[in-house]
Amino acid sequence: MTTGAAPATAAAAVERPTGSAPGPRRRLGVLVPSSNSNAESSILRMLAGEADVAAHFSRFRLPPDLGDRIDAGVLGDAPAMLADVEPDAIAFHGTSGSWTGFAGERELCAQLEVVVGAPATTATLAVRAALDALGLRRVGLVFPGPRPIAEQIAVQYAADGVAMPVISAPEVELANAEIARVGEDWIDALLRPAFQGDVDGVVCIGTNLRSAYRVSAFEAEFGVPVIDSATATLWQLLRLAGAARPIAGWGALLQA
């Protein structure tokens, strides 16, 4: 019988990994309100042709009152669970800061950055950054929630240097799940009045409203940019993650 060195085990044959893994190189973390059914689907649609970017999601439950500010206590374990995938950037995919105030949104981002260890944004701050990027200072507002909340949004933006002379909000109050189910005709009817008057763009605030799918058509019709809050969230995430690039088919903001 011949003898020799013992064969190497499988574990010994595999060295500690180095280099880039196949598949997406950039990871985006997204915190989604539990009643939002648009966030994942719209982001995945927008990223369908971007093989080097992946989006990862974690859910939390919104407080019952629209006037409640979102902070780390509301988000619970959702940010920490996203931190486990080591995202390059993270976003709170909600717009409540549009009416509760930009300062609270910046505080939330600071809290998220501590927990996750990556740059953070919110849908509200992403919209505000998009307005600056496109040089828009007088915009029509589209909001699928109650008109009194829409008026609070206009006050917050006016204090931050952006006028909203036209507000389009529905006559009936819809629950968040209902907003996600409205049809294309309903969305179009909500968007159209926001282009009236002397505006240099339109903002759609409400990440569960599927207005992103109608942005290109309305931009072509009226000749001004349309900023959708769900689209703006992805746009800002890509910038923070060092993965900014033009993505066609979703309007001027993502195309730039």
Side-chain angles (χ1 to χ4, degrees):
M1 178 182 294
T2 61
T3 61
T9 65
V14 179
E15 298 178 355
R16 186 174 294 277
T18 59
S20 298
R25 294 178 55 250
R26 299 289 186 183
R27 301 170 185 169
L28 310 178
V30 188
L31 295 159
V32 183
S34 59
S35 58
N36 187 312
S37 61
N38 181 48
E40 290 102 331
S41 59
S42 63
I43 286 176
L44 293 177
R45 284 278 191 95
M46 294 174 200
L47 290 177
E50 311 305 315
D52 61 325
V53 180
H56 304 271
F57 303 91
S58 188
R59 287 180 170 265
F60 66 94
R61 183 155 280 125
L62 287 169
D65 192 327
L66 282 174
D68 288 346
R69 229 186 75 189
I70 305 297
D71 59 16
V74 172
L75 299 177
D77 292 334
M81 287 190 286
L82 270 182
D84 290 346
V85 303
E86 298 181 347
D88 297 290
I90 187 170
F92 163 63
H93 203 280
T95 55
S96 58
S98 301
W99 58 89
T100 60
F102 296 110
E105 296 291 279
R106 296 185 183 99
E107 291 177 16
L108 175 59
C109 286
Q111 293 171 337
L112 291 174
E113 288 173 359
V114 169
V115 173
V116 179
T121 189
T122 71
T124 296
L125 295 180
V127 167
R128 188 64 190 83
L131 287 169
D132 284 343
L134 297 181
L136 305 181
R137 285 295 176 269
R138 187 175 174 85
V139 298
L141 169 62
V142 175
F143 182 63
R147 177 166 287 273
I149 297 292
E151 292 170 352
Q152 291 178 37
I153 293 172
V155 169
Q156 291 289 343
Y157 273 83
D160 207 49
V162 177
M164 291 180 164
V166 183
I167 296 175
S168 181
E171 295 181 1
V172 296
E173 186 171 342
L174 302 179
N176 205 27
E178 292 178 304
I179 290 171
R181 290 195 295 265
V182 298
E184 184 176 298
D185 290 345
W186 192 97
I187 294 172
D188 286 1
L190 184 64
L191 264 65
R192 196 164 296 279
F195 293 87
Q196 297 173 1
D198 181 22
V199 298
D200 53 12
V202 165
V203 173
C204 303
I205 291 181
T207 58
N208 212 20
L209 179 68
R210 297 174 186 263
S211 47
Y213 298 90
R214 302 297 297 145
V215 164
S216 292
F218 273 85
E219 287 185 339
E221 179 177 350
F222 289 98
V224 297
V226 180
I227 297 176
D228 169 75
S229 55
T231 307
T233 304
L234 175 61
W235 169 80
Q236 182 73 326
L237 270 172
L238 290 169
R239 295 173 76 210
L240 293 177
R245 79 280 307 278
I247 299 177
W250 299 91
L253 181 63
L254 269 185
Q255 181 66 45

